[in-house]
Amino acid sequence: VPKSIDEVRQRFQGHDNINMIISDVHKLTEPSDYGISKVAICNLDVDIYEPAVSALEFLSKCEWSEVYIRFEDWHGGESEYDQHERLAFIEWIEKYKYNFNITHGGYIGGVYVNR
C-alpha cells in the first residue's frame, strides 16, 4: 500500500491512460482542465453524500456514451449507508434520466450507465 501521494504517482508512471486528480472534489472545473477527454470507467471513492454528488456532477461534464462506475462504499443492504453514495447516485440518475444497470451491489457497487 502506498504511503504517500508520490508513491502513488510512481505506480502510475508509464500508464498514460490513468489520470490522477488531486483536488477538492467540490472545486473541480471542466474535464479538459485536467486533460480528460472520453472516459469509460470511473472509480468513485468518496464515502459520503456531498462529495459523491460533486463527483457525479463532474462525471456528467465528461465525454461518454456509456460509463462503468465502481462505487467503493456502496454498502448495499446496509441501511445506515442509504443516505450516501447510493442516494447521490439515485438523484443523479433521476436528474439526467440516464439508463443504468447495477452489476453488483454489496460493499462495493458496480453500475453501467448510458446517456
Side-chain angles (χ1 to χ4, degrees):
V1 176
K3 295 185 181 3
S4 69
I5 294 298
D6 289 334
E7 286 184 20
V8 173
R9 285 188 178 120
Q10 287 174 355
R11 289 190 181 195
F12 286 144
Q13 286 179 351
H15 300 282
D16 296 335
N17 61 322
I18 299 173
N19 188 356
M20 186 171 71
I21 300 168
I22 302 171
S23 176
D24 181 332
V25 69
H26 305 296
K27 296 179 182 177
L28 293 173
T29 56
E30 296 301 313
S32 60
D33 295 342
Y34 307 98
I36 298 172
S37 56
K38 191 168 187 176
V39 298
I41 299 171
C42 173
N43 182 60
L44 199 126
D45 184 4
V46 293
D47 302 342
I48 60 174
Y49 175 77
E50 292 84 2
V53 169
S54 294
L56 291 167
E57 284 300 319
F58 180 78
L59 183 58
S60 287
K61 295 178 183 180
C62 294
E63 180 187 346
W64 54 271
S65 55
E66 180 179 54
V67 66
Y68 177 78
I69 306 172
R70 178 185 182 268
F71 289 89
E72 180 68 25
D73 298 291
W74 186 260
H75 295 277
E78 297 179 54
S79 60
E80 60 270 23
Y81 293 91
D82 286 349
Q83 302 302 311
H84 296 294
E85 287 184 359
R86 286 183 279 128
L87 176 60
F89 174 73
I90 291 166
E91 292 174 348
W92 180 68
I93 289 295
E94 291 175 353
K95 177 179 179 179
Y96 292 104
K97 309 288 190 249
Y98 294 144
N99 297 309
F100 66 97
N101 179 32
I102 298 174
T103 61
H104 54 285
Y107 174 74
I108 294 173
V111 183
Y112 282 101
V113 181
N114 295 73
R115 290 188 186 209

